Structure formats: C-alpha cells, structure tokens
Amino acid sequence: MGFFLMIRGASMVKAMRIVLLLCVSVLWVFPKECACRNLSSSSSPPLLQRPSSVNVGALFTYDSFIGRAAKPAFKAAMDDVNADQTVLKGTKLNIVFQDSNCSGFIGTMGALQLMEAKVVASIGPQSSGIAHMIAYVANELHVPLLSFGATDPTLSSLQYPYFLRTTQNDYFQMYGIADFVSYSGWRQVIAIFVDDECGRNGISVLGDALAKKRARISYKAAITPGADSSSIKDLLVSVNLMASRVYVVHVNPDSGLNVFSVAKSLGMMGSGYVWITTDWLPTALDSMEPADSDTMDLLQGVVAFRHYTTESSMKRQFVARWKNLRPKDAFNSYALYAYDSVWLIARALDVFFKENNRITFSNDTNLHKINASSLQLSALSVFNEGEKFMETILGMNYTGVTGPIMFDSERNRVNPAYEVLNIAGTGPRRVGFWSNHSGLSVVHPETLYSKPPNTSTANQRLHGIIWPGEVIKPPRGWVFPNNGKPLKIAVPNRVSYTAYVSKDKNPPGVRGYCIDVFEAAIELLPYPVPRTYILYGDGKKNPSYDNLINEVVADNFDVAVGDITIVTNRTRFVDFTQPFIESGLVVVAPVKEAKSSPWSFLKPFTIEMWAVTGAFFLFVGAIVWILEHRFNEEFRGPPRRQLITIFWFSFSTMFFSHRENTVSSLGRLVLIIWLFVVLIINSSYTASLTSILTVQQLTSRIEGIDSLIASNEPIGVQDGTFARNYLVNELNIAPSRIVPLRDEEHYLSALQRGPKAGGVAAIVDELPYIEVLLTNSNCKFRTVGQEFTRTGWGFAFQRDSPLAVDMSTAILQLSEEGELEKIHRKWLNYKHECSMQISKTEDSQLSLKSFWGLFLICGITCFLALTVFFWRVFWQYQRLLPDSGAEERAGEVSESSRSGRGLRAPSFKELIKVVDKKEAEIKEILKQKSSKKLKTTQSGAGSSHSQHSEIT
C-alpha cells in the first residue's frame, strides 16, 4: 500500500511570515561589525521549517492473508514513528488506507484517490498485476511507489523509475528453486501457476534458471485466476498423465490450498511425487496458525520456500508485540516488510528534510489538456521533489526488522535469502537455507556473508527431507504412468547389414543385435517402460541417420534405437547412452599377394639396424685385437696380417666360427658379451626372415586414408551413414568423389570393378560393418592403414531425458556381466575369420629401437675393458722409466750442451713401443730392472760399511 504525505498549508504560511519578520529585526538590531565577523557562518541558508504532518497512503486488499497481516503492521509502524521524536522531529506521520479488493480496476481508482490528496509516497500494492498499472500513475506524478508484496521480476526499474520493491524479488526465489531441483538430481519439472503477471513472469524466470542447470520445464499448467475445484481437477488429471512427477506450484496464498486438496483426492500426494511451492504456502500456513490437522494432512512431504529475515532482537520484540496489536490477525513475513516500509519512508523523509528540501506540488499540464473527461483528472498534482525523494530512499542504509535495508544497482534488496521448509508431521520444519551468496546451506546466511561466495555443487547441503508417502530417499522424479503414452521408439528400416537391426514379422516388429541390447537394458530398469517400435525409412534404402536424429529432436519420437553412431554434432541435440559397441572409420581396399624379391634376405632388418650391426662387428673386432695383441701370437705379425685378422675375427663371430683363441681376461669378457648379442641378433633375424618367406604377404596400392585423400579416385560409402559428411566436411574430400552404396553386394561389386570400370578405389565405413563385409567376401579385401576415428554406437534420447542416464547404467551392467558379449556372439558369429588388416613389410622389420639396449651393454663393456687395459699399460710404462738417481748420475757425465734432454718428458712414440711389446717381454724387463736396482742398493750399502770401518 502506499502512504501519502499531506502538508498543512495555512498554518505553515503564518509561521513563515513570523520567521521572516524576526530575521529582519535581528539584522537591524545587530551591529555592523558583528555581522561582518559572522559572515562565514551565516553564508549557509537556514534550515526550512518542517511541515507539521505528512500523509502516506496504503493500498492493499484488506481481506487476504497478506492484507490481514499488513494492516496492523502499518498502524504499529505509524505509532512507533510518531512516538520516536528523533526521526521526524515534530512532523506527524499519518497513513491513509485504500482497499484494492483484489481488483485491478478498483486498485487503480484507489490509487488515483490517494494521489488527489497531494501525497509524496505510496506503499503498495501487494498484487503484481495492480502494481503494473498504478506504477504508470506514479511515473506520471513523480510519486515513489514502494511495494511490500509485489514480487514479479518484470517490475523493472528501467520501465518504472518510481517503483521500489521492499520485499524480495521472485527472480531470486526461482533461482533458489532451480538450485534445489539440480541438487536433487531432477531434469524436468511441471510448473503449476496462476495465469497472471506474477505467475507467468515468475515461471518464465524459473525456466531460464533451470536451463542453466541443464534442466527444463516440461509442461506449464496455467490456472485461471479464481478457478474452481472442478477446473483445477481437470488440469491436474492431464498433468498426472505426463512423465514428470516434480511439480512447482506458484499460485496465490488465498486459493493455493485448493490445488493440494484436489491433488490429494486424485492420489497425487503419495510416494513418487514431488511438490515444491514458492513463498505463498508458508504465508498461508503462518496466517492460519495454528493450522488444523486436515490442512497438514494435505501437505505432508511438500517442500516450500519462505522469505528469510535476519534473526535479531528488533525482530523478536516486534513478534512478541504482535499478539497485543491484533490477536485475531495471524502473523506472516509480509507484516515485517510492511512495518519496514513505513519506517523506510519515515527515515528517508528525515534525511530529505535535513538536506533542506521542501515539499511542493504543481499541476500536470498533460492532464489539463484532457478537457472532455469528467473524471476530474486535473485534481492530480505532480510531486516536484519526487525524483529527489526517490534518490534519498534508494540511498538509505540501516537495519530494520527484516534485516539490512539497502538496495543494489537494480533496486533489489541486498542479500536475498530464503528458508527451505519441509512440511512433515504437525507443521513445517526448516531443512536449510538458500542465498545467492552460497546457494543451499544448513548455516544461517548472515554467517556466510563474511566468507567468499561459494555456490559450487560440492558446497550445496540440506538436512534430510521427508517426501510424500513418508519416503526418506529422494524420488526419481519421473515415471511412465500406466495410463500415459508409451515410449515411441524409432528404428531405422535397414536394407543392409540386417544382423544389427531389421524389420521383423513377429512382435515387436523389429529384430537384431541393437534391439536385443536395448531390450536387455530395459529389463534391468527398476520400473516398467511401455514402448512401441516404429520403423523409420521406406525399406528401399538405408534411411538418413541425421534425419532420424532430427525427428527425435522435433519430438516426433522419444528415442532412436539402432546402429546410431555417437558423433559431436548429434550430441548437441540429443542425449546418447553409454556406447554398447565400439566403432570407427576404416578404409577397405582390394589386395593382392606380394611377389617374392631376390633381396628378401635384407628385409628382416631396417637400414639403420644393418648399419649399426655392421659397425659393431668391426668395433668389437678392433677392441678384441687391442686387448689380445700383447698376449696372443695369433693377433701379432705384420700390419697387413693384423688388419685381416681383425676383419676375419669380427665377422666370423656371427657364425661362432672364429678360430683365434682369446687369452687375456679382458678379451674373454668382451667376447662373451658380444657373442650373447650375436646370438640374440641371429635368432631375431632367422625368425623374421622365416616369417617373410613363409607367411603370405598382401599388398595394396592404397596404403590408408592419407593416400586415399591424395588420390583423385572415387570412394565408396554406405548410404545414410555419417561417413560421407565426415569425408567431405572434416577431410575436405570433393563430394563428386563420394559414391553411395546400398548394401554388401554393391560394396563387393564396386571394389571388384575398380575405378577404371566404374567402381571405387576403396570403401570408407565403420568397423562393425566392415567385419561383416570381410567375412562375407571370404577375405578377398582387407583394411589398409589404421582406424582414423574412434566412436561408438548408442541409443539417442531426447535432450535431458532421465531415461538416458538409467539406460547407460543398465548397459554398463550388461557389459560387466558379460551379457553384451553373449548377444554379440548370437548375432555376429562370423563363419570365416580372417585378418582384418594387411601387414606391411615395413611393419614387420626389426628396427634399432628393439636392440639398442644390447648394443649399449656391449659398448659399456668394451669401454670398461679398454680403460682397465690402458691403465695397466700406463702403469707399466711408468715403471720402465729410469729413476731420478740414475738421471742425476747421467747428467754429471754428459755435457751440458747435450744435456737439454736429460729430464725430458716421456714421448708418445716410446709409449706406443711399450704397448706393442709382448706382455712377457715387459714383465722380463721389469724383473731385470728390479734385480739391478736391488744389487745397486746392496753394493752401495757395502761401500758405506767399509768406509766407516777405515775411519774407525
């Protein structure tokens, strides 16, 4: 309702005259220098005198759940404002009431009557439909319109700049319901609503909110305003024939209980049903408190949303006063919003007056132009300061009984929140909260505002809910009603590969591998699914599978069952089940037996393998020669003989026929490792060569999809499948090269004729079809190249169909239990097993990557052996060098001109000589040197002893 302010004119004019005379007198009495001294302080204008009283109007329906709670709240707020001298400070607030009587016409007339009184603000109405009409009046006369009950989301601030909602916007409530539906795992709901502005617009927002959660409204059931029980019954009967069992009820609190009364009589309040209501139901129950047991019996298991108002001492005090205000009037949340609306205007007026604003009105020139009307519209005046007062209201920020009073940029109350209630037992119980800050939660919203927003799915939580029928587990949300329509199943009427799906004379009219899989999955569902199979296609050629999917999208069929490939563009429009068979595109081409080559003995190894193997033969031969040269006479002699020995020894180890014996320990170690490597290489070569010479080798001039793209020859595809679109759109093959083929006979005929005789060079089709084709052709054709797409076959359901999820689970169960394999053997038990893909010689060749580990071990062994060998040689060479004492004595004898090399460093040539000497010679030299050194030491000791004796 709107409260309107009225100015007491005559008394105000007299007061202004007295104030003016006093001001003139003061200016004459005060000295001039005093006036100059206070010039700065008197520069700001004096505050205008406030009016003695203001009137606000309240427009609402008295005889309604909301109206009976709002009227005493208005009066209590008016009394509290007038009793508080800190707010309006002497200005009295009066409320003028008008009854809209649930009529848009009467409500508009009531608003005009209030406007004639030169009002400055209006509170109301409670009806969104009436608010749409009188908001235009408020726009024209610049009078702020504050509604405590109009929740229609389309009451936009852009269209109605003088409209302000002091309650919550239904926009948030609908998003809360969408979160609850998503939290419960439902995909479809049926909306039951009153066919007025509030009902239609609220359900429209609900549809948008559900779409963001990948859910939808499957049916919108509109109730005519004021409909009787008979009309409601007809509507619910039609609704009960539909699959969805989740109902969202958005109606008026005064007549909404009739919906549940009729639903109870139709048996729609039992197990399996879900009923969700907006805030109208808590409003009705709160107003009826204590509610009778019959009403509670109607509502068992219902989930309802109620406006959440912050728990505070101010709210508790107001609720405690309620019974003293009007004991006969029941309390609901709209009483709190009505109370806060009055206080919002009062506080805004106080700020408005403190900013030195006045209240004035002027005639509306547009209304004066309507001279022919007898409605006396010229009596309506424009509130000149209405825009400024509206800005003051929007800038208010304080705490009321409903919580923080503050508005966002779209003029909605900040921090919108709702309680989630569950009707069970003797009344509603709270199971959680919803807010746009954190979504569904069991924690009070005000405690979460200090934390970062978190509306993730993992953060959503509610307490346990008792559903209709006293069920604790959340209902599935949909069924196939016994009196409803059966599931319409489209089946492609194929003319080829009929083992997968085909027409049948016996019930149910279709047969094949895909049908058996679908029926087996249906049998695993925990509920019956009435169904009817409908053939799609003329039976003369395979139907277009893309067109079949479009028929499902157009709601002509509920599901498509058959050999339907799951591809990306189809998943955008339908929901596929879990694949029940793997698939993918392959290339089939004619093959011929490869001719034997005189160079076949080179094919087992790749070129790199031959090169590395040969290099290692020479390398190991050289290493063994180095290690054996000092020990073994067979590895000594003239350079030509030694070079021949290296080559002969190297390659003779391939056949283990080397005649040279190894003597040194290091040489034997290297040879053992190398002979092991040779054994592995010989065995692998023998096995690979045997395979090449004995196994039939097939070749094809088409090597795979790449060579097929590079050519300009025709390509055969199965008529109706997605292969043609894939080749044209994804691989950019010219459409003129694509040849559609009808069945297996056309496949075989086109491949046999070839491109020169009007056939095709190759066929591109899915792997399950090719398996059947190759078997029926006695393996005359083979696949070439690799499978270049990986997909699968699935059943296509309408978007967001809950049956798709259950069927996917059933298909997985069939796979785990081995039933899919049994069905596969039943229908696809091939008579002739043949290799699917031809083997290329290059694919069977042995490459270096298979043997690099052996070569690495051999190389490391050779390196370690050489390291030990050269360390030993260097050690011997150091011992062969003359000691320092001998060098000094030699230096005394030789001439200084020749002694420049007396202390020269060891030469590389001398080191090579040591390396080339036999090991026995080196040992003999070292032995002689050791003996000589011992004799020299003994003779030196004897000479010293004799000299010592002579001295003594």
Side-chain angles (χ1 to χ4, degrees), residues 274-287:
V274 177
W275 293 87
I276 306 170
T277 75
T278 52
D279 63 284
W280 68 267
L281 181 57
T283 299
L285 293 179
D286 292 342
S287 301

Side-chain angles (χ1 to χ4, degrees), residues 255-277:
S255 58
L257 291 177
N258 292 337
V259 174
F260 288 99
S261 178
V262 175
K264 181 75 172 180
S265 65
L266 294 176
M268 298 175 65
M269 298 301 297
S271 177
Y273 289 88
V274 177
W275 293 87
I276 306 170
T277 75

Side-chain angles (χ1 to χ4, degrees), residues 149-264:
T151 57
D152 181 4
T154 62
L155 286 168
S156 168
S157 59
L158 297 177
Q159 184 179 6
Y160 307 114
Y162 286 90
F163 176 83
L164 182 64
R165 195 186 342 257
T166 59
T167 185
Q168 298 294 353
N169 191 337
D170 267 350
Y171 173 89
F172 301 106
Q173 182 171 210
M174 296 306 170
Y175 270 81
I177 293 175
D179 283 349
F180 179 75
V181 171
S182 177
Y183 170 80
S184 301
W186 301 314
R187 292 296 184 185
Q188 296 182 15
V189 303
I190 292 177
I192 301 174
F193 61 97
V194 174
D195 193 14
D196 58 11
E197 287 82 356
C198 183
R200 288 191 301 269
N201 297 331
I203 295 303
S204 176
V205 173
L206 176 62
D208 296 338
L210 289 173
K212 295 181 179 179
K213 300 292 182 179
R214 287 208 62 184
R216 66 188 180 95
I217 299 176
S218 60
Y219 183 72
K220 296 180 179 180
I223 299 175
T224 304
D228 55 13
S229 298
S230 177
S231 300
I232 296 176
K233 182 178 181 179
D234 294 340
L235 180 69
L236 293 184
V237 167
S238 62
V239 162
N240 198 33
L241 297 177
M242 300 177 185
S244 179
R245 285 293 184 264
V246 182
Y247 305 121
V248 177
V249 185
H250 185 48
V251 295
N252 298 323
D254 298 279
S255 58
L257 291 177
N258 292 337
V259 174
F260 288 99
S261 178
V262 175
K264 181 75 172 180

Side-chain angles (χ1 to χ4, degrees), residues 150-421:
T151 57
D152 181 4
T154 62
L155 286 168
S156 168
S157 59
L158 297 177
Q159 184 179 6
Y160 307 114
Y162 286 90
F163 176 83
L164 182 64
R165 195 186 342 257
T166 59
T167 185
Q168 298 294 353
N169 191 337
D170 267 350
Y171 173 89
F172 301 106
Q173 182 171 210
M174 296 306 170
Y175 270 81
I177 293 175
D179 283 349
F180 179 75
V181 171
S182 177
Y183 170 80
S184 301
W186 301 314
R187 292 296 184 185
Q188 296 182 15
V189 303
I190 292 177
I192 301 174
F193 61 97
V194 174
D195 193 14
D196 58 11
E197 287 82 356
C198 183
R200 288 191 301 269
N201 297 331
I203 295 303
S204 176
V205 173
L206 176 62
D208 296 338
L210 289 173
K212 295 181 179 179
K213 300 292 182 179
R214 287 208 62 184
R216 66 188 180 95
I217 299 176
S218 60
Y219 183 72
K220 296 180 179 180
I223 299 175
T224 304
D228 55 13
S229 298
S230 177
S231 300
I232 296 176
K233 182 178 181 179
D234 294 340
L235 180 69
L236 293 184
V237 167
S238 62
V239 162
N240 198 33
L241 297 177
M242 300 177 185
S244 179
R245 285 293 184 264
V246 182
Y247 305 121
V248 177
V249 185
H250 185 48
V251 295
N252 298 323
D254 298 279
S255 58
L257 291 177
N258 292 337
V259 174
F260 288 99
S261 178
V262 175
K264 181 75 172 180
S265 65
L266 294 176
M268 298 175 65
M269 298 301 297
S271 177
Y273 289 88
V274 177
W275 293 87
I276 306 170
T277 75
T278 52
D279 63 284
W280 68 267
L281 181 57
T283 299
L285 293 179
D286 292 342
S287 301
M288 296 167 57
E289 192 173 334
D292 58 272
S293 59
D294 293 338
T295 302
M296 288 297 103
D297 289 341
L298 293 177
L299 304 173
Q300 292 298 303
V302 175
V303 175
F305 278 64
R306 178 170 65 187
H307 294 126
Y308 175 74
T309 53
T310 306
E311 298 295 335
S312 62
S313 58
M314 187 183 303
K315 176 184 173 181
R316 287 190 291 269
Q317 291 173 4
F318 179 79
V319 174
R321 292 173 51 199
W322 184 258
K323 293 183 180 180
N324 297 327
L325 295 175
R326 292 288 295 275
K328 295 182 180 180
D329 291 324
F331 173 83
N332 58 51
S333 61
Y334 286 97
L336 299 175
Y337 289 111
Y339 183 85
D340 271 349
S341 298
V342 176
W343 270 98
L344 175 61
I345 290 179
R347 292 180 182 275
L349 280 172
D350 187 51
V351 175
F352 182 77
F353 290 142
K354 286 180 180 179
E355 294 176 352
N356 217 21
N357 293 306
R358 66 175 66 196
I359 298 174
T360 60
F361 293 88
S362 62
N363 294 328
D364 191 337
T365 56
N366 293 327
L367 295 178
H368 279 278
K369 293 178 182 179
I370 307 177
N371 298 323
S373 174
S374 60
L375 296 177
Q376 300 298 324
L377 296 179
S378 59
L380 301 177
S381 301
V382 177
F383 180 20
N384 296 326
E385 291 79 16
E387 183 177 357
K388 177 65 177 177
F389 185 44
M390 189 67 188
E391 293 177 358
T392 303
I393 295 175
L394 292 174
M396 298 303 296
N397 184 4
Y398 71 98
T399 301
V401 295
T402 58
I405 307 294
M406 190 167 63
F407 301 93
D408 60 18
S409 59
E410 297 181 358
R411 300 189 180 185
N412 293 314
R413 288 279 296 268
V414 296
N415 299 332
Y418 291 85
E419 294 179 85
V420 183
L421 306 178

Side-chain angles (χ1 to χ4, degrees), residues 345-602:
I345 290 179
R347 292 180 182 275
L349 280 172
D350 187 51
V351 175
F352 182 77
F353 290 142
K354 286 180 180 179
E355 294 176 352
N356 217 21
N357 293 306
R358 66 175 66 196
I359 298 174
T360 60
F361 293 88
S362 62
N363 294 328
D364 191 337
T365 56
N366 293 327
L367 295 178
H368 279 278
K369 293 178 182 179
I370 307 177
N371 298 323
S373 174
S374 60
L375 296 177
Q376 300 298 324
L377 296 179
S378 59
L380 301 177
S381 301
V382 177
F383 180 20
N384 296 326
E385 291 79 16
E387 183 177 357
K388 177 65 177 177
F389 185 44
M390 189 67 188
E391 293 177 358
T392 303
I393 295 175
L394 292 174
M396 298 303 296
N397 184 4
Y398 71 98
T399 301
V401 295
T402 58
I405 307 294
M406 190 167 63
F407 301 93
D408 60 18
S409 59
E410 297 181 358
R411 300 189 180 185
N412 293 314
R413 288 279 296 268
V414 296
N415 299 332
Y418 291 85
E419 294 179 85
V420 183
L421 306 178
N422 179 212
I423 314 298
T426 59
R429 64 184 184 93
R430 186 166 59 195
V431 295
F433 305 90
W434 179 90
S435 68
N436 66 337
H437 183 84
S438 57
L440 297 171
S441 173
V442 295
V443 182
H444 285 75
E446 58 265 23
T447 62
L448 299 174
Y449 292 142
S450 59
K451 302 178 182 179
N454 186 0
T455 57
S456 63
T457 303
N459 194 52
Q460 307 300 292
R461 185 186 171 194
L462 291 175
H463 292 302
I465 296 175
I466 301 177
W467 304 97
E470 298 183 356
V471 177
I472 299 177
K473 182 181 178 181
R476 189 170 61 249
W478 67 279
V479 295
F480 282 97
N482 295 329
N483 55 350
K485 297 180 179 179
L487 196 70
K488 294 185 296 183
I489 303 174
V491 178
N493 190 6
R494 295 191 58 88
V495 297
S496 62
Y497 302 109
T498 55
Y500 290 109
V501 62
S502 62
K503 181 180 179 180
D504 190 20
K505 297 180 180 179
N506 301 319
V510 289
R511 63 193 297 268
Y513 169 74
C514 300
I515 302 301
D516 280 7
V517 172
F518 185 79
E519 286 291 331
I522 286 288
E523 293 299 323
L524 293 178
L525 298 181
Y527 47 86
V529 181
R531 52 198 178 276
T532 301
Y533 291 97
I534 303 173
L535 288 170
Y536 180 79
D538 56 9
K540 298 179 180 179
K541 65 176 182 178
N542 294 332
S544 170
Y545 281 63
D546 287 336
N547 293 339
L548 175 59
I549 296 298
N550 292 334
E551 292 291 332
V552 176
V553 176
D555 201 21
N556 294 328
F557 299 104
D558 298 312
V559 58
V561 172
D563 48 340
I564 304 172
T565 307
I566 303 173
V567 292
T568 304
N569 63 331
R570 293 174 181 173
T571 58
R572 298 190 181 102
F573 308 105
V574 295
D575 283 348
F576 280 95
T577 62
Q578 174 79 15
F580 57 87
I581 189 174
E582 293 183 356
S583 180
L585 292 178
V586 293
V587 178
V588 179
V591 294
K592 59 181 179 180
E593 186 175 353
K595 296 181 179 180
S596 180
S597 171
W599 304 102
S600 296
F601 67 93
L602 295 176

